[in-house]
Amino acid sequence: MSETITITIDGKECTCEKGEYLYDVAKRNGIFIPVFCRHDAFEDHRACCRICIVEVEEGGRSKVVTSCVYPVERECNVQTRSEKIMEERSVIMALLAHRAPEAASFKPMVGRVGTVETDRLVTLDGEKCILCALCVQACNSLGTGAISTVNRGTEKMIDTPYGKESAACVGCLSCANVCPTGAIEYSEDDAVRTIWNREFELIRCGECGQIMGTRDSLALAAGNNEVPAVCDECRKKHMADEMMATYRYV
Amino acid sequence: MINGTDKILVCCGTSCIANGALDVADAIEAELRARNLGESVEVQVTRTGCSGECEQGPIVRLMPRDTMYYRVKVADAAAIVDSLEGELATKLLYKRDGETYEHMDDNPFYALQHKVVLKDVGIIDPLSLDDYRARGGYEGLKKALEMTPEQIIDEVEKSGLRGKGGAGFPTGRKWRSAASYDEWPHYIVCNGDEGDPGAFMDGSTMEGSPHAVIEGMIIGALAICAEEGVLYIRDEYALARDHIQHAIDDAYAAGILGESIMGTKHKLDLSIVRGGGAFVCGESTALMASIEGRVGEPRAKYIRSVQRGLFDHPTVLNNVETLASIPTILREGAEAYARIGTEGSKGTKVFAMVGKVKHTGLVEVPMGTTLRTLIYDIGGGIIDDRPFKAIQTGGPSGGCIPESLLDLPVDFDTLTEYGAMMGSGGMIVMDDRSCMVEVARYYVDFLCEESCGKCTPCREGLRQMRAILTDICEGRGKPGDIELLERICHTMEDASLCALGRTAANPVLTTIKFFRDEYEAHINDKTCPAGVCAKLTQFAIEADVCTGCGMCSRACPAGAIAGERKQAHVIDPAKCIACGSCREACRFNAVLTERRPA
Ligand SMILES: Cc1cc2nc3c(=O)[nH]c(=O)nc-3n(C[C@H](O)[C@H](O)[C@H](O)COP(=O)(O)O)c2cc1C
Ligand code: SF4
Ligand code: FES
């Protein structure tokens, strides 16, 4: 049986279960907290972007925590827009925006979260990646684990092991699809998809001709290494047609 | 009279070996054989056990009379053997400020020290379990085996021992907390990662007294009912790893580790894991990830390791020095330990003092000793009696402390109040020829490579700070840079994921706080007052002072200095690379620094 706790977020009373993450409580109550490295699809959160910081006052002491992984354990008073939080969030936003100047999806967030007006910060030319590593989480959750963060410190980046083509990769695009900034590059022609330095054969539906995916990803999804002949849509349509035919005779 | 108990100890710590200690030991042995004394005098080459005062090595000590000889050479072997019976080899004795010292404890470098952790280091052969036992080793464990876990924890709590890895968390409380979780197994882990640049406290302890660390771990394991423990040792520390492994093997063979600890029903297995090779791997969650075989990255969590640590089980992680203090606390009692130190910080602390201080080395002093005592009384002051400028404590997490604060007692809490940190014990003494902006830049640069790079404030904050500090050092600083640095620093302090990022601002913030004028001189006047930053500095020779000795021209790597013997020398600014070698080489203070024209 879980315990219910009442907390205050920006003056609003919110009830939650003990252990629930602060961000989830705020969201349920319509209170906006920016997040970059947190995704509903995953249970664990890396808590690495740090944009979701809020101030928590507990037992007379105030501290800055990352709301996406902060479990509510007792009554507390939370401020998501205190002067301190707004200042530090805008510094983090400025740091991210200078790291990834080409991350187009970021521009509206800069306006919403705030930034530091200065010409003294260096930019990484052409960079789009903010290192939220959602792509790594996506890849791991499929069980492929083809990419990870590599290197340390300021040289950290996302890559396949040793930057070589990865045998584990199936070319499914889960990483590129989850990426909030479009940083993962890939290309496609009629028959081949290229991603993470590797080429994948594209399989088309035997019926409608739509691209179904790469051979490797279809085999992985099927589980038995067999690639389906038609796409899901066509298969469903077939089934419906068959049923129609059957029922007509009954 | 020479009798069977005479011993000649030859320090063979890393530094003494580099200075020829092994040859010295051979020469002494040859001399003894030549005089047929080989049987009655034992030459003991303490394979490590750094005696502390490295730069005076090789050090030879005659026991039991306790005569210490310094800077011993092969040619001194005869004089040393002579002195077993006859006259002291006075020229090898320690001299300082006109005084000569025969015994170790009279020497001011040692007189003010108080050795608990290092009490056997430099005295015993670290590879000998018997040596360790002869000086009370494993007596503390014997006592612990007669106590309940509760009683052991009470004793450690009463001693006031706080973790020496930097944070100063009360050890007894940590143990009690881990012991309270009813989820099995529990683990004990020793943090021997020691990644601070310039630090060698834990390495020397593991090399010089490995059984003390192991005994501490066994006692800790008894307290929290752990049956498995890991020593995580920095990858570069091959000798420490060897000695620890040797001690573990001996302890198994002697029935101290394994299925039955000293014949009791308690058991414990210990093993070594090699460090991941980055400073960040010393951080508790990164260290545990590394032991588990994952990338050495800290984990964001609000649950502590005592509850969910290694393999998600209750885990006690303690520093080498913390654990090596435990046997003495058990053996001598908590009260005795608590009598040393200050109200809030009990016991002793080991420091690795390096830099521009006359006597560098490893020292252990009671908590609360002032920086002034450390630098001037123990360290003998600044080399060439130049003006003191700052002391850096706590490495990349610590700060630079100015002259005005030298009378502060060094303990866990005092330096923190001033934005610095005692840290794990690294201390770098700096004279007036150190640039504080450059020092800040050095630590930021270090962390750019040695952090994990997982979270934004630390990774990107360090990147930006490195760029700004480099600009300042190279004359491209702009008004507003100091304030921008401060904004980044404060965000890093609050919002970084782990303590590396949260403390990474300290070298920057303390240098801004205590040496702001130096930042301003770089930014506004494009000068480096200390004459360090090459883009802002040029060197010149004062003709009246120069004696024409030629030391500078020999030291100059760029061949920029010309001059006849006994005539004033001249530096060609076009060739000068502003490395400062001439200034270091000149014994007459004839080399001046000037602002380099833009
Ligand atoms: C970046 C970083 C590096 C650290 N490196 C070490 C280290 O090398 N050795 C150590 O004992 N503690 C180190 N610590 C502190 C440990 O996380 C931990 O607090 C300590 O080992 C606990 O032991 P103690 O309570 O006995 O001090 C480090 C902390 C951080 C944040
Ligand atoms: S603060 Fe630095 S070292 Fe710690 S998790 Fe963040 S990037 Fe890694
Ligand atoms: S969303 Fe919380 S740290 Fe990234």
Side-chain angles (χ1 to χ4, degrees):
Chain A
M1 198 192 69
S2 62
E3 204 180 307
T4 305
I5 303 177
T6 304
I7 64 173
T8 324
I9 308 180
D10 294 346
K12 181 177 178 187
E13 282 205 354
C14 309
T15 50
C16 60
E17 277 174 23
K18 185 174 170 173
E20 214 181 332
Y21 292 141
L22 204 43
Y23 169 80
D24 296 320
V25 183
K27 190 174 175 194
R28 199 173 52 239
N29 284 277
I31 296 164
F32 168 78
I33 299 174
V35 291
F36 294 139
C37 70
R38 182 201 180 286
H39 198 290
D40 284 338
F42 312 118
E43 207 171 295
D44 273 346
H45 308 302
R46 263 174 80 82
C48 59
C49 76
R50 318 301 286 176
I51 200 74
C52 69
I53 49 169
V54 298
E55 241 183 311
V56 172
E57 220 183 288
E58 248 175 34
R61 295 246 305 266
S62 174
K63 58 186 175 184
V64 174
V65 306
T66 35
S67 59
C68 70
V69 291
Y70 187 78
V72 179
E73 297 288 350
R74 56 192 74 81
E75 271 180 32
C76 58
N77 181 16
V78 181
Q79 294 201 16
T80 71
R81 303 180 58 81
S82 66
E83 200 181 316
K84 186 184 195 120
I85 293 299
M86 296 313 275
E87 154 67 12
E88 291 176 2
R89 241 187 239 153
S90 51
V91 172
I92 296 172
M93 196 66 225
L95 291 173
L96 280 174
H98 282 81
R99 172 200 163 78
E102 300 303 319
S105 60
F106 247 53
K107 300 266 150 68
M109 284 308 280
V110 173
R112 194 157 182 196
V113 172
T115 187
V116 179
E117 295 302 335
T118 172
D119 60 353
R120 293 294 286 148
L121 298 178
V122 292
T123 53
L124 297 191
D125 289 340
E127 185 60 82
K128 288 182 181 169
C129 172
I130 56 166
L131 277 170
C132 66
L134 286 175
C135 51
V136 176
Q137 280 196 294
C139 190
N140 283 342
S141 70
L142 291 172
T144 29
I147 48 172
S148 63
T149 59
V150 299
N151 302 341
R152 288 199 301 258
T154 47
E155 298 301 308
K156 200 167 194 97
M157 58 189 234
I158 310 284
D159 209 344
T160 53
Y162 307 104
K164 299 236 166 66
E165 55 179 65
S166 151
C169 179
V170 294
C172 69
L173 293 193
S174 296
C175 51
N177 290 335
V178 79
C179 177
T181 64
I184 297 178
E185 284 175 14
Y186 65 94
S187 62
E188 254 172 37
D189 60 20
D190 273 356
V192 175
R193 174 183 294 161
T194 308
I195 186 167
W196 295 117
N197 307 319
R198 204 178 133 192
E199 293 184 350
F200 295 89
E201 180 192 351
L202 288 171
I203 306 290
R204 287 173 187 277
C205 172
E207 198 116 350
C208 68
Q210 282 270 37
I211 292 179
M212 294 195 293
T214 64
R215 177 176 294 282
D216 300 57
S217 66
L218 293 170
L220 180 75
N224 55 5
N225 250 340
E226 267 172 39
V227 174
V230 293
C231 70
D232 271 359
E233 306 243 309
C234 292
R235 190 173 47 84
K236 279 188 199 135
K237 204 163 139 275
H238 257 284
M239 270 164 56
D241 288 351
E242 263 170 40
M243 281 224 269
M244 278 283 280
T246 318
Y247 284 114
R248 200 181 303 153
Y249 292 112
V250 177
Chain B
M1 242 312 274
I2 292 178
N3 60 49
T5 63
D6 272 296
K7 276 188 186 174
I8 301 179
L9 307 182
V10 182
C11 174
C12 287
T14 311
S15 167
C16 283
I17 288 181
N19 287 317
L22 293 176
D23 292 339
V24 169
D26 286 346
I28 293 173
E29 268 172 333
E31 188 67 31
L32 288 171
R33 274 197 305 276
R35 299 192 198 182
N36 286 324
L37 286 170
E39 296 294 304
S40 46
V41 181
E42 183 192 347
V43 176
Q44 193 173 316
V45 179
T46 61
R47 278 258 314 271
T48 173
C50 169
S51 319
E53 211 179 348
C54 305
E55 124 286 6
Q56 296 278 334
I59 299 175
V60 173
R61 190 174 186 191
L62 309 188
M63 291 304 267
R65 56 188 290 178
D66 189 18
T67 301
M68 290 274 262
Y69 290 135
Y70 295 85
R71 295 183 195 269
V72 176
K73 300 197 179 50
V74 168
D76 299 322
I80 288 173
V81 175
D82 282 345
S83 74
L84 283 170
E85 281 193 301
E87 262 182 53
L88 287 176
T90 332
K91 84 171 175 60
L92 299 174
L93 292 176
Y94 190 80
K95 289 172 206 72
R96 178 152 153 181
D97 303 329
E99 294 279 324
T100 304
Y101 302 92
E102 177 184 354
H103 306 301
M104 171 162 145
D105 291 344
D106 302 340
N107 170 347
F109 184 80
Y110 296 107
L112 293 161
Q113 296 197 40
H114 188 128
K115 299 205 174 188
V116 173
V117 172
L118 300 179
K119 80 178 182 55
D120 298 331
V121 175
I123 292 167
I124 61 166
D125 175 352
L127 298 183
S128 162
L129 174 58
D130 290 342
D131 266 23
Y132 180 66
R133 290 192 120 155
R135 290 177 53 88
Y138 290 111
E139 292 301 322
L141 174 59
K142 270 190 204 150
K143 277 198 180 167
L145 284 166
E146 286 161 13
M147 297 158 78
T148 63
E150 190 75 1
Q151 286 170 324
I152 300 175
I153 294 173
D154 285 345
E155 193 71 8
V156 172
E157 207 156 53
K158 245 193 302 173
S159 76
L161 177 68
R162 291 172 66 178
K164 306 201 183 182
F169 193 86
T171 308
R173 206 195 307 162
K174 189 185 272 189
W175 290 10
R176 190 181 301 286
S177 174
S180 73
Y181 292 102
D182 196 13
E183 197 166 311
W184 305 92
H186 291 180
Y187 295 107
I188 184 154
V189 179
C190 170
N191 191 341
D193 201 46
E194 194 163 62
D196 282 20
F200 48 91
M201 303 79 57
D202 295 345
S204 303
T205 305
M206 288 186 284
E207 283 177 19
S209 191
H211 281 288
V213 183
I214 290 167
E215 186 180 354
M217 270 186 99
I218 304 174
I219 295 169
L222 292 174
I224 63 160
C225 302
E227 295 184 344
E228 201 178 331
V230 176
L231 293 106
Y232 188 85
I233 303 178
R234 178 179 170 156
D235 196 42
E236 291 93 324
Y237 281 175
L239 191 61
R241 213 163 47 232
D242 283 355
H243 287 193
I244 292 278
Q245 188 60 55
H246 196 282
I248 289 177
D249 294 345
D250 282 357
Y252 270 107
I256 295 170
L257 280 173
E259 282 305 303
S260 162
I261 300 172
M262 292 182 151
T264 63
K265 64 179 184 0
H266 301 285
K267 57 181 179 179
L268 179 68
D269 286 314
L270 290 184
S271 56
I272 296 177
V273 170
R274 284 172 73 153
F279 177 61
V280 67
C281 291
E283 192 276 340
S284 58
T285 58
L287 182 148
M288 290 179 202
S290 177
I291 294 177
E292 291 169 17
R294 293 182 286 119
V295 183
E297 265 181 8
R299 243 192 309 173
K301 51 170 204 169
Y302 290 96
I303 299 170
R304 288 176 303 136
S305 308
V306 283
Q307 183 178 354
R308 228 185 282 162
L310 193 57
F311 300 110
D312 280 342
H313 281 272
T315 302
V316 158
L317 173 69
N318 274 133
N319 163 262
V320 167
E321 195 184 330
T322 313
L323 290 168
S325 308
I326 297 286
T328 302
I329 291 173
L330 268 284
R331 197 181 54 247
E332 315 267 328
E335 286 81 8
Y337 189 82
R339 273 196 294 275
I340 317 167
T342 60
E343 187 56 36
S345 305
K346 299 296 184 194
T348 61
K349 181 75 196 84
V350 180
F351 294 104
M353 192 160 54
V354 299
K356 292 293 170 70
V357 63
K358 283 182 188 160
H359 307 276
T360 56
L362 207 59
V363 302
E364 182 172 1
V365 291
M367 290 276 189
T369 303
T370 66
L371 287 167
R372 197 179 296 282
T373 301
L374 276 161
I375 298 168
Y376 287 93
D377 300 335
I378 296 177
I382 309 298
I383 293 175
D384 292 338
D385 295 316
R386 298 200 62 79
F388 166 88
K389 182 159 182 183
I391 178 163
Q392 210 285 343
T393 63
S397 315
C400 288
I401 297 161
E403 165 94 44
S404 61
L405 299 180
L406 281 189
D407 291 310
L408 288 182
V410 186
D411 60 20
F412 285 113
D413 310 309
T414 314
L415 296 185
T416 312
E417 284 169 34
Y418 292 84
M421 191 171 166
M422 178 176 79
S424 57
M427 284 195 165
I428 303 173
V429 179
M430 291 177 270
D431 66 9
D432 59 335
R433 290 172 177 173
S434 306
C435 168
M436 292 296 120
V437 188
E438 169 56 29
V439 168
R441 200 195 60 79
Y442 167 80
Y443 283 105
V444 167
D445 196 42
F446 173 84
L447 290 178
C448 280
E449 286 173 28
E450 296 293 322
S451 62
C452 80
K454 181 174 182 176
C455 73
T456 312
C458 177
R459 180 190 65 244
E460 302 304 328
L462 285 168
R463 187 199 311 281
Q464 297 297 349
M465 293 214 294
R466 176 172 58 183
I468 297 167
L469 289 166
T470 304
D471 271 1
I472 297 177
C473 288
E474 297 185 353
R476 296 183 301 271
K478 292 203 177 141
D481 280 359
I482 298 180
E483 292 71 20
L484 182 56
L485 283 171
E486 286 174 327
R487 287 180 75 177
I488 297 174
C489 282
H490 293 311
T491 301
M492 288 177 73
E493 286 183 313
D494 278 337
S496 292
L497 190 155
C498 84
L500 185 152
R502 274 185 258 129
T503 55
N506 285 342
V508 179
L509 286 176
T510 52
T511 48
I512 291 178
K513 180 171 174 185
F514 297 121
F515 302 94
R516 195 180 181 102
D517 49 350
E518 212 166 324
Y519 277 82
E520 285 166 350
H522 282 75
I523 296 170
N524 302 331
D525 311 331
K526 309 294 175 207
T527 64
C528 174
V532 172
C533 294
K535 292 260 166 64
L536 303 179
T537 304
Q538 70 182 16
F539 292 86
I541 294 170
E542 211 172 354
D544 304 353
V545 185
C546 178
T547 63
C549 71
M551 292 288 275
C552 57
S553 60
R554 278 194 291 281
C556 177
I561 305 180
E564 297 291 315
R565 239 188 112 59
K566 299 206 171 153
Q567 303 280 314
H569 282 45
V570 182
I571 301 176
D572 177 357
K575 287 191 190 159
C576 172
I577 55 167
C579 67
S581 303
C582 50
R583 183 169 64 161
E584 288 304 310
C586 180
R587 281 189 262 137
F588 306 97
N589 275 330
V591 180
L592 301 174
T593 63
E594 299 170 342
R595 175 167 175 267
R596 179 177 283 258

